[in-house]
Amino acid sequence: MAADASGEAAPDLGKCAICGRPATPEYRPFCTRRCADVDLGRWLRGSYAIPVKPSEDDEENGAIPDEDER
Ligand SMILES: [Zn+2]
């Protein structure tokens, strides 16, 4: 007989890479879409890295607007 104090057997989906909470099957390896979007945003920023050296006096593409989707 298994004595599990937690009482809830969660599947091993790993932990969310963003907040560290248990990941959900729907958004794994993240817990929520919000966290998935955060990671995606980071990844995209990395990919969109300009191949040339960024000019310090040219920041027309300064900030990416946060997508607060609810
Ligand atoms: Zn998370």
Side-chain angles (χ1 to χ4, degrees):
M1 53 193 299
D4 193 352
S6 64
E8 182 177 350
D12 186 11
L13 297 174
K15 293 192 298 182
C16 176
I18 303 301
C19 66
R21 292 180 181 178
T24 59
E26 189 174 359
Y27 298 108
R28 64 179 180 178
F30 309 103
C31 64
T32 60
R33 186 187 171 185
R34 190 175 186 85
C35 284
D37 283 344
V38 171
D39 185 79
L40 180 62
R42 291 179 181 177
W43 189 85
L44 287 178
R45 290 193 186 192
S47 288
Y48 279 126
I50 307 174
V52 298
K53 293 181 180 179
S55 300
E56 294 181 357
D57 58 350
D58 182 59
E59 289 185 327
E60 62 178 1
N61 195 14
I64 299 176
D66 292 330
E67 294 183 3
D68 194 6
E69 186 173 322
R70 297 189 182 181

